[in-house]
Every structure is written in structure tokens, then in C-alpha cells.
Amino acid sequence: MKYSGMGRHGLLPGALAGLIGGLLFGVAMVPLGMLPTIASLVRTDSVAAGFIVHMGIAAIVGAGFGILVWQQQSGAGETLFWGLTYGTVWWLLGPLTLMPLLLDRMVTWNVTSAHATFSSLIGHLVYGASTGLTFVVLRQEQRALRSTCTRGALLRGALAGAVGGGLIGIGLGGHDEVLAFLPSRIGDARQVGGLLIVLIGLVLGTGFALLYPRPTAPAGPTLIRGVVYGFFWWVAGGLTVFPLLTGAGLAWSLEAARAAFASLPVYLLVGSTVALVYQGLDRVVLVLFSDAVLTPGDEGIGIQGMRVMGRGAGAGLIGGVLFTLVMVRIGLLPVIAELVGATSALTGVFVHLVIANLIGASYGLLFRQQSYDVGSALGWGVSYGFVWWIMGALTLMPMFLGSEPQWTVEAAGQLFPSLIGHLAYGAALGVVYYLLEARYSPWWITRTQAEAARNAQRKEQVLTSAPALWVLVVMIALTLPVILGPAP
């Protein structure tokens, strides 16, 4: 029965979903001239043969995806993130590994090979995303849709999109780096840049409501989901749909992606803001229209907040000390000191540790009761560190120093050591916070049956997209700045 269910609910819909994803990828391969390379697997250079071979591979890989996720009860959003990660893994396994071996070539896992197969990376991301979403549709047809996206959810999504896009558009819409991705034919970019970002927010907000008609994740995981969701839209919108609508063609080449790199932080920031606002609106609805009360004996919200902020600040201090070692090596401390009008490295250390404390306190509020072991603590911590590299080193810090956001490939490459420091800071922050929570407030030790049910629901995150999110965030953080940078 188990293997029968896997075939009916996993392998078969996965193969069909893979065909749909493969069709989209295959159509894009035609103008990119990639099909003759695929055809060389059967010792020919025919475009038609390449398309047939590609579709066969797409069906097989899609069947593997179905087997991977068929037992999960997750919805469209979680399956989308699994699909993106699955596509990334197959880019590493396919063009960079198996393809050279099958063609009797050497496997070269280096930046040059990544540059040569960058279009394939975007194609695999599109394939993974479309396969995941198609798999959800096929599974819903077989199992009957359990929940539909209500008008209220769509309204909250649109409102979250307007608010999120408006905040980013008003705050950043006039900066040259933000508007660098706009085509010249669009007119005065400074007049329409903010409006365009609001429109992007509306699209992202409505789409997020379709993926998550009933958001249940706390604020921290929602933030990370929003970041990855924004990355998905950078690929699907910024590099695919938007260039096609403006007549520029697919922006899947390395040169086109470098030119569009400035739009990546826009999508990441809008996506994360939209997700947080959407989740916040849902919480407001629950507070206004539910009868939920505190369990007897629970501390008040204010006291709980102060405790988690204190633990987060302590964890942030330890992470900040580790990050200081990186800053000393790259000479960034005098730059940090400029935030308060000084140039001393000692002042830079003080300012840096204050910032590390504040970010740690925010981590405590956002990720309270989300880490159930060291592995999940590392996942959320590293992801949060990447978020602050985007918001801090690339965006807020240059603006506070009177400059433009540093959203260029060159700036990202120069700040790559800072990225490593942020990831190390996030790792230490997440692990130390988990250890403090385990020592003083082990939420997984239950006192009542209701608490046991809530804790079991929290632990189910490992069966959703959380591992996929962690893998994908690390891939975005470590791979894109290197790939999009100049060849060594």
C-alpha cells in the first residue's frame, strides 16, 4: 500500500509536473541555444532531439521531486520553496556534474564553469518552481482542496503588498541604484520608480496570499520565507516576465543578470516586508475576532517580550564579538565609527557591538520558540544574518553615511567578507539564543495537553519548507555574489 500510494500521489503527479516545468524550461532553451548541448547526449546536435531528451529528463527529475515531497501535507508556498531548492540541487548535479561526465569531459566545479552555466541555473530555478506549483495543483485535484484563498486573504495580501511596496518605494524609490534596472524607454525613472515598486509589492502581496491563504508561521520564519519569496520573484519577474514585457527578451545571461543585480535587493526587501505585513494583518484579525486568552500561569506579553529580548541581546553580543574579528581583518571598524561621526577603530567596536545587541534583541522577538535543536538554530540564525547583510551592509549603512545603497555586483563582491561575517554572526546568534532558551525557557517541555499540541505543531516546521529555506538562503548568499562577480 505504501508503494502504491507513493506512485499514485508522488511519482505520477511528480512526473506530470516535471513535464510542465520542463516545457517552460525547454521553450526558454530555444532562443538561448541550449538544446544542441542536450542533444549531444544522444550523439546529435538536432534541436528537436535535444527537446525530446530534455523533456524525458524533466519527467524523470519531476518524478523524483514527487517521491521527495509526496508525504508532506504542506501547501503551495512550502512546495514552491522545495521546488526552488530542488532545482538548485539539480543545477549542481546536472550541468556541473553529470553532463560533463556523460560527455566524457572533466568535472570542473569552479567559478568559470558556474559562469558558463548561469543561464542553466536560472532555468533550473524556473523548472523547480513551476514543477512545485504544478505538483500542488495536481495533488489538490486528487485529494480535494482543503482550503481556498478567501477574498479576505486576497484583500490582506493586496494591502500588505501596497504597504510593503510603499514603504520600500517611498524610502528607496529615488535612489539611482534602486532604479538602475528600469529600461530607458520607461521615461523619467525617478518619477515612476516608487510607483513601480508599489506595483511590484501588489503583485507579490496577492501572490503571497494565494500561496498562504492561512498564514500560521511566527514572524521570524515568515520574514525568511518573504526573503526567499522575493528571490523567486526576482527570477520569475525581474529576469523573465518583466524583460519579456518590455521587449528585451529573457535576462538569463550572465551579463543581463549582472545588469539586473540592483533589482535583487528590491525584490528581497519588498518580499520580506510584504510577508511580515501580511502575517501581522492576519494576527490583527485573530485578535479582533477570536476569543483566545492566555493560559493560566503564563507571563504577560510584556514580560515575555523583555525576557526574549534580553536573551537575544546576550546572544547578539557573543555573535558581535565573533563578527568583530572579521571586521578587524577587513578594516571595516573605522567605517562603522563614521556612523557617529568618529574614525577610531575602538569607537567602531563599541558602535558595532551596540548594533549587534539590537539585532540580537530583534532576533529574540522574531524567532522565539522556533529552534528545537542546534541544526534549526543554525538555519534560522544564518538566514537572519543574510537578511541583515542586505538591509545593513548593502542598504542602511551606505544611506546613513550619505551615499547610495550599494546594490551593484562590484559592491557585493567587495563586501563579500562582510557577508561571511554576517553569516558567522547569525550562526552564533542562533545557537547561543537556543542554548539560553534551553536553559531558562525550554518551550518543548510541556505542562498541559494544549501546550503539547502547540509544540507538536511548531516542530512540524521540519516537515515543511524550513530545511529548504535554509539551504536556499545559503545558496543565494554564497553563490550569487561569486557567480555574478568578475571571473578570477
Side-chain angles (χ1 to χ4, degrees):
M1 289 296 293
K2 177 180 178 181
Y3 292 106
S4 174
M6 181 176 66
R8 186 169 59 255
H9 299 299
L11 191 148
L12 180 59
L16 293 175
L19 286 174
I20 299 299
L23 180 61
L24 295 177
F25 190 6
V27 170
M29 282 181 168
V30 176
L32 294 173
M34 299 170 63
L35 289 175
T37 304
I38 303 297
S40 63
L41 291 171
V42 292
R43 301 302 184 263
T44 181
D45 59 357
S46 167
V47 172
F51 186 80
I52 293 172
V53 172
H54 163 73
M55 292 299 293
I57 296 173
I60 295 172
V61 174
F65 178 78
I67 294 173
L68 175 67
V69 302
W70 78 279
Q71 286 186 307
Q72 296 189 29
Q73 304 297 320
S74 52
E78 306 298 271
T79 309
L80 168 65
F81 297 142
W82 273 114
L84 286 169
T85 304
Y86 191 69
T88 303
V89 170
W90 270 103
W91 173 67
L92 297 171
L93 289 176
L96 294 182
T97 306
L98 295 178
M99 190 83 171
L101 290 175
L102 292 174
L103 295 177
D104 298 325
R105 300 173 184 168
M106 261 185 119
V107 175
T108 52
W109 294 330
N110 52 36
V111 176
T112 302
S113 298
H115 283 178
T117 59
F118 181 80
S119 296
S120 180
L121 168 61
I122 303 301
H124 277 81
L125 289 169
V126 171
Y127 167 80
S130 54
T131 297
L133 292 176
T134 304
F135 183 80
V136 170
V137 173
L138 294 174
R139 286 285 294 277
Q140 287 175 348
E141 289 179 356
Q142 295 178 21
R143 295 184 170 187
L145 190 57
R146 295 182 180 180
S147 63
T148 58
C149 192
T150 63
R151 292 181 180 177
L154 288 175
L155 180 61
R156 290 196 298 274
L159 181 58
V163 173
L167 289 175
I168 303 302
I170 293 173
L172 302 173
H175 289 276
D176 293 333
E177 296 295 346
V178 179
L179 306 177
F181 66 98
L182 296 178
S184 57
R185 72 188 66 183
I186 209 166
D188 189 346
R190 289 189 176 275
Q191 293 182 2
V192 301
L195 177 60
L196 179 62
I197 295 175
V198 172
L199 293 177
I200 291 174
L202 285 172
V203 173
L204 266 64
T206 305
F208 198 80
L210 291 172
L211 295 176
Y212 291 97
R214 296 178 181 177
T216 57
T222 297
L223 170 68
I224 304 305
R225 282 173 170 82
V227 170
V228 178
Y229 179 66
F231 172 73
F232 159 71
W233 272 107
W234 181 67
V235 172
L239 300 184
T240 307
V241 175
F242 187 71
L244 288 175
L245 292 178
T246 57
L250 291 173
W252 288 11
S253 68
L254 186 63
E255 294 73 19
R258 283 172 175 166
F261 184 81
S263 66
L264 174 59
V266 174
Y267 282 98
L268 297 182
L269 292 175
V270 172
S272 58
T273 306
V274 165
L276 284 177
V277 174
Y278 181 71
Q279 190 255 11
L281 291 173
D282 185 71
R283 290 294 182 267
V284 169
V285 172
L286 289 177
V287 169
L288 293 178
F289 300 103
S290 71
D291 299 323
V293 296
L294 284 173
T295 303
D298 280 353
E299 293 180 321
I301 295 177
I303 297 178
Q304 292 178 3
M306 293 297 293
R307 291 187 186 278
V308 299
M309 288 177 65
R311 295 184 192 118
L317 179 61
I318 295 177
V321 170
L322 292 178
F323 195 178
T324 302
L325 300 178
V326 177
M327 287 188 162
V328 171
R329 297 285 297 178
I330 63 178
L332 197 59
L333 289 174
V335 179
I336 300 294
E338 292 180 17
L339 292 172
V340 293
T343 57
S344 166
L346 183 61
T347 303
V349 171
F350 176 77
V351 174
H352 162 67
L353 292 179
V354 170
I355 295 173
N357 270 267
L358 294 175
I359 293 176
S362 69
Y363 180 88
L365 288 175
L366 294 173
F367 293 89
R368 170 178 174 266
Q369 296 185 352
Q370 291 307 299
S371 299
Y372 46 85
D373 57 18
V374 174
S376 60
L378 274 172
W380 293 130
V382 169
S383 299
Y384 198 56
F386 172 67
V387 169
W388 274 101
W389 182 66
I390 295 291
M391 288 199 302
L394 297 186
T395 307
L396 294 178
M397 185 171 168
M399 293 176 63
F400 287 156
L401 294 176
S403 181
E404 296 279 337
Q406 299 299 302
W407 290 352
T408 64
V409 175
E410 294 77 16
Q414 292 174 359
L415 289 172
F416 191 75
S418 174
L419 168 62
I420 302 302
H422 277 83
L423 297 181
Y425 165 79
L429 170 63
V431 171
V432 174
Y433 182 82
Y434 163 73
L435 295 176
L436 291 174
E437 198 170 42
R439 173 67 177 83
Y440 296 104
S441 181
W443 57 270
W444 48 88
I445 299 178
T446 60
R447 293 173 296 175
T448 66
Q449 187 174 359
E451 284 184 343
R454 288 199 300 268
N455 294 343
Q457 186 178 17
R458 290 193 187 104
K459 288 185 178 181
E460 285 180 359
Q461 65 176 294
V462 75
L463 299 178
T464 62
S465 67
L469 288 170
W470 303 332
V471 171
L472 200 57
V473 167
V474 172
M475 174 265 171
I476 297 169
L478 296 179
T479 305
L480 283 186
V482 174
I483 293 178
L484 293 174

